[in-house]
Amino acid sequence: MPLILVGGGSRSGKSSYALELARERGTRRAFVATAEAFDDEMRERIALHRAERDQSFTTLEEPTDLARVVADNGALFDVILVDCLTLWVSNLMMKEHQDIDARGAELVRIAAASAATCIFVTNEVGCGIVPENTLARRFRDIAGRLNQQAGRSACEVYLLNFGIASRLK
């Protein structure tokens, strides 16, 4: 089934747009949440996202093992929406000895071959200034490579700006 990539900056509307796309792709819907609630502010963000997607989605929480979740659930759902790749990269970076590029390649390969349509939400990380510290530059580089790989493999790619989606592919 197709892989769809939805990207944009922070608060660009990408998550809401991805939910719309998922609702159009079938009735058996999974939402794979990569966020972890480590503080009150993050708990509030997660609660708002849950309210936006309502009960029409089965929520699967997985901060690091996305390839397994997509592989294990592809036949159970019409559409699997992963929100978001950049938070997933951040989660992996916090763990030692992660080959994140290889994990990203595996995820993209599995998603592109899945029986379900997979929709990936990601942040566009290359439009800002070059970060001043090594960790932030490493994050930007890894996320940028993953976004490029997902974009090349995707059948559809959307960029959100100011709440407006532009189809790139």
Side-chain angles (χ1 to χ4, degrees):
M1 294 300 277
L3 172 60
I4 300 169
L5 183 65
V6 178
S10 298
R11 297 285 168 246
S12 62
K14 60 191 175 293
S15 293
S16 297
Y17 188 74
L19 287 170
E20 288 178 33
L21 290 175
R23 288 182 179 108
E24 295 169 359
R25 298 302 200 278
T27 57
R28 299 177 308 145
R29 303 176 193 119
F31 184 95
V32 183
T34 61
E36 294 181 281
F38 291 119
D39 57 35
D40 289 339
E41 187 264 342
M42 197 59 169
R43 279 187 277 284
E44 184 177 325
R45 286 176 179 266
I46 290 169
L48 290 171
H49 273 283
R50 281 186 183 137
E52 186 178 15
R53 67 180 172 264
D54 67 41
Q55 297 300 313
S56 69
F57 288 84
T58 298
T59 299
L60 307 170
E61 295 180 0
E62 181 50 60
T64 57
D65 201 358
L66 291 183
R68 179 191 53 78
V69 169
V70 171
D72 289 352
N73 290 282
L76 303 176
F77 295 97
D78 300 320
V79 61
I80 298 173
L81 194 166
V82 175
D83 196 354
C84 82
L85 292 183
T86 42
L87 187 51
W88 177 67
V89 167
S90 178
N91 293 342
L92 291 176
M93 287 180 69
M94 296 301 112
K95 301 192 180 300
E96 293 185 41
H97 309 296
Q98 297 287 322
D99 185 347
I100 301 171
D101 288 326
R103 303 258 321 250
E106 176 189 31
L107 173 62
V108 169
R109 180 184 53 74
I110 288 171
S114 177
T117 297
C118 291
I119 301 172
F120 289 164
V121 175
T122 192
N123 285 282
E124 165 46 55
V125 295
C127 290
I129 62 171
V130 175
E132 102 177 40
N133 70 73
T134 303
L135 181 62
R137 284 191 301 275
R138 182 171 174 251
F139 169 79
R140 183 215 44 203
D141 293 348
I142 293 169
R145 287 191 299 269
L146 177 58
N147 288 347
Q148 287 180 47
Q149 186 172 38
R152 283 190 302 270
S153 295
C155 297
E156 298 173 35
V157 177
Y158 299 90
L159 179 64
L160 273 284
N161 286 298
F162 311 113
I164 300 169
S166 299
R167 184 171 176 163
L168 303 178
K169 180 180 180 185

